[in-house]
Amino acid sequence: MAFYYDEPSHTFSEYLLIPGYTGPDCIPANVSLKTPIVKFKRGEQPSLSMNIPLVSAIMQAVSGDRMAVALAREGGITFIYGNQSIESEAAMVRAVKDYKAGFVTSDANVTPENTLEDILDLKEKYKHSTVGVTDDGTPHGQLLGMVTSRDYSLERIPVKAKVASFMTPIEKLVTATEGITLQEAYDLIWEHKLNTLPVITKDGRFVAFVFRKDYDQHKENPLELLDSQHRFIVGAGVNTRDYEERIPALVDAEADILCIDSSEGFTVWQKRTIEFVRNKYGDTVKIGAGNVVDKDGFRFLAEAGADFVKVGIGGGSICITRETKGIGRGQATAVIEVAKARDEYFQETGVYVPICSDGGIVHDYHITLALAMGADFCMLGRYFARFDESPSEIVQINGNFMKEYWGEGSARAQNVARYGHGQSSKDTLSFVEGVDSYVPYAGPLHKTLEVTLAKIRHTFCNCGVLSIPELQEKAKLTLVSSVTLVEGGAHDVLVKDTYNHPKGM
């Protein structure tokens, strides 16, 4: 006979936090959102932690190398999407590691024979106006000059004009030699009143740019997540099909952490993928797994050797798995049960395996609820898809600027490696589990994320806590009725104005 749960599963919107005592030191500036992302033994420190409890979803419309740099600046981690060739995913990882927290490998490069039209195309594609001019048009060719928006005017220079006719040649550039420290580079920028400093090798090959604006961003982002060589931390998604080729390539590209991207994690294929990593690399390569929604699924992946476990099936805004297959669980209930299983496993084995709440986040406060219920961090898709740094295009729909956002289970993504168990990797999906959609364009990531984190820190203070572990220990949560939800918003009034501050979600 089938097993039936006594209680219905619940979503985050069905819960509220009850305030706790707020003492004199309980202010947002004192709140730490640091959290582990990989397993560790009792009494030890995790080998990898984040400074904010947020990672970006393993999705084509969300997580490219630009998002990885932007989110690492804020203290979180991006998992580069795996629904692409092994070579291109590894190249994205390398691009992030090459960034070196201030030394930026140029993504837009031309030869002197290119035209202004090519410059404009690159500006449209990469959303910036600084272009390196090299002998072969590659990021590391012989540097011949540079083009910025100061070098041309569309009223004065025809679009077919060659770059050689309007670029700033290297003879007129202030450059630095490879090996210069970041502080020395910034000193040169200030001394010569530069916006951009090209760095070259002793024989003149292009290495990177250093930008004045990055100095300001570094000062504004004290939570930057960096490795021992002061490079940004970056993750990468893998699947359970070509892992024997993809994982070594990503390890060679120096990805800091991997995650199996799958619609359902309680499978022999995930176990085999984890075993491959452990047999080949031991514990030196970190890999998360999932997704699961109950204690049995968590236990299976923890015992298989996963470094963290993702929780959630069917709760994403573009996911239709529940209505397509009848599989899934309310996200709040799933997190609560898996967190309890995580704590039990820790008590039994002395190994703490972090859990990630993936899906079901509609409002900013849902992040805090997920953390209170036991999640160590949250994976977000729709939230990050809205920003300039996501890989998708900005489009205009009914007069409003939007960004394209599609699920990995959609016909557009055709992610057979994630959803098509039993099918050839060359097949198309026999049915879809995701939709193709739009989300409101929200500009650059920093400003909106700043508001979201402020809300989380203020809520921690309302609960009388200063850290995620303390929240999980002291939080008091209550289920709410439908009329409580109505009461919680503006009601019985005619609202005359919208809020005059960013709303985060």
Side-chain angles (χ1 to χ4, degrees):
M1 180 178 175
F3 176 81
Y4 293 86
Y5 285 90
D6 294 331
E7 295 292 329
S9 63
H10 298 284
T11 66
F12 293 131
S13 288
E14 296 176 77
Y15 285 89
L16 287 174
L17 285 157
I18 303 299
Y21 169 69
T22 302
D25 296 327
C26 201
I27 58 175
N30 291 340
V31 171
S32 169
L33 295 178
K34 188 170 184 177
T35 192
I37 193 172
V38 297
K39 65 184 179 183
F40 59 95
K41 294 180 180 178
R42 183 183 285 112
E44 298 180 356
Q45 291 297 313
S47 60
L48 183 59
S49 296
M50 296 186 294
N51 292 324
I52 63 171
L54 301 177
V55 300
S56 69
I58 311 169
M59 301 174 70
Q60 291 172 306
V62 179
S63 296
D65 50 343
R66 289 186 66 213
M67 179 62 72
V69 170
L71 187 51
R73 274 202 176 110
E74 307 292 339
I77 293 177
T78 289
F79 285 90
I80 302 291
Y81 70 91
N83 191 15
Q84 58 179 316
S85 72
I86 294 172
E87 294 75 19
S88 59
E89 185 180 9
M92 284 190 175
V93 171
R94 285 193 184 92
V96 179
K97 301 309 289 187
D98 285 348
Y99 205 99
K100 210 167 183 179
F103 293 91
V104 185
T105 299
S106 179
D107 54 10
N109 304 281
V110 295
T111 71
E113 294 301 306
N114 285 103
T115 65
L116 176 56
E117 187 174 30
D118 296 321
I119 297 289
L120 297 175
D121 288 343
L122 288 171
K123 183 178 180 180
E124 175 64 24
K125 179 179 180 180
Y126 293 107
K127 311 302 179 188
H128 63 74
S129 59
T130 304
V131 177
V133 184
T134 60
D135 61 343
D136 57 4
T138 68
H140 301 300
Q142 198 78 17
L143 185 65
L144 304 178
M146 185 173 77
V147 175
T148 72
S149 56
R150 294 181 178 184
D151 291 310
Y152 59 86
S153 167
L154 295 179
E155 289 80 21
R156 293 176 175 271
I157 300 178
V159 294
K160 296 299 182 181
K162 290 188 176 182
V163 169
S165 68
F166 59 86
M167 73 180 188
T168 301
I170 191 167
E171 296 80 18
K172 295 184 178 180
L173 292 175
V174 176
T175 62
T177 304
E178 185 179 29
I180 190 174
T181 68
L182 191 57
Q183 187 57 57
E184 289 169 342
Y186 286 138
D187 289 343
L188 268 179
I189 284 173
W190 286 103
E191 179 184 347
H192 294 279
K193 299 182 172 64
L194 306 174
N195 288 322
T196 308
L197 176 69
V199 180
I200 59 177
T201 63
K202 291 180 179 178
D203 58 358
R205 302 192 73 81
F206 192 19
V207 175
F209 283 130
V210 178
F211 296 99
R212 178 193 290 262
K213 64 180 177 61
D214 286 343
Y215 176 78
D216 297 330
Q217 288 178 337
H218 179 70
K219 300 290 282 187
E220 292 173 5
N221 293 287
L223 298 179
E224 279 185 328
L225 200 58
L226 307 175
D227 65 16
S228 60
Q229 299 178 55
H230 299 283
R231 303 174 301 176
F232 288 120
I233 298 291
V234 61
V238 300
N239 61 65
T240 57
R241 291 173 180 260
D242 65 9
Y243 59 88
E244 291 182 333
E245 296 79 36
R246 188 174 294 267
I247 289 176
L250 295 173
V251 171
D252 288 344
E254 299 187 270
D256 296 282
I257 184 168
L258 307 175
C259 182
I260 303 172
D261 182 32
S262 174
S263 59
E264 203 266 300
F266 197 176
T267 71
V268 64
W269 296 289
Q270 293 231 352
K271 183 178 180 181
R272 289 174 182 171
T273 305
I274 297 169
E275 286 175 346
F276 168 79
V277 171
R278 296 294 170 244
N279 290 335
K280 187 174 181 66
Y281 301 104
D283 286 327
T284 61
V285 170
K286 306 302 180 182
I287 185 167
N291 288 19
V292 299
V293 292
D294 67 357
K295 62 181 180 182
D296 294 334
F298 169 83
R299 192 88 187 197
F300 173 80
L301 291 176
E303 291 176 350
D307 283 291
F308 69 86
V309 174
K310 283 203 296 161
V311 181
I313 294 176
S317 60
I318 40 67
C319 185
I320 55 171
T321 294
R322 294 181 192 175
E323 63 183 70
T324 301
K325 292 163 58 175
I327 292 288
R329 199 176 195 186
Q331 188 66 10
T333 299
V335 170
I336 290 168
E337 179 173 324
V338 173
K340 182 178 179 181
R342 184 266 323 277
D343 293 343
E344 290 173 350
Y345 186 80
F346 180 52
Q347 290 301 317
E348 292 175 22
T349 67
V351 177
Y352 186 92
V353 181
I355 63 172
C356 167
S357 177
D358 178 18
I361 302 290
V362 180
H363 304 290
D364 287 343
Y365 80 90
H366 288 170
I367 298 171
T368 314
L369 285 173
L371 298 174
M373 292 171 180
D376 295 280
F377 56 99
C378 297
M379 176 172 279
L380 307 178
R382 181 186 62 87
Y383 180 91
F384 289 116
R386 303 171 300 156
F387 300 122
D388 283 328
E389 294 84 356
S390 73
S392 63
E393 296 294 324
I394 300 173
V395 295
Q396 199 167 13
I397 305 294
N398 298 324
N400 297 312
F401 287 104
M402 313 287 283
K403 289 209 78 174
E404 294 180 308
Y405 179 46
W406 61 95
E408 288 299 302
S410 68
R412 178 172 180 173
Q414 281 297 324
N415 194 342
V416 177
R418 189 181 206 272
Y419 288 93
H421 288 307
Q423 294 179 248
S424 164
S425 59
K426 297 180 180 179
D427 290 343
T428 58
L429 294 174
S430 53
F431 57 89
V432 299
E433 296 183 46
V435 299
D436 200 341
S437 64
Y438 302 101
V439 290
Y441 170 59
L445 177 147
H446 175 73
K447 187 173 183 180
T448 301
L449 182 57
E450 191 174 43
V451 173
T452 297
L453 295 173
K455 291 178 184 178
I456 295 171
R457 292 187 179 101
H458 277 77
T459 306
F460 272 48
C461 293
N462 291 143
C463 295
V465 302
L466 292 174
S467 67
I468 293 172
E470 193 178 6
L471 176 71
Q472 293 170 347
E473 179 185 350
K474 297 181 178 179
K476 294 182 289 184
L477 297 105
T478 180
L479 277 166
V480 297
S481 66
S482 58
V483 290
T484 305
L485 296 174
V486 174
E487 180 185 64
H491 60 90
D492 302 314
V493 294
L494 179 63
V495 179
K496 67 178 182 179
D497 198 7
T498 57
Y499 298 117
N500 60 1
H501 58 79
K503 294 184 178 181
M505 289 276 190

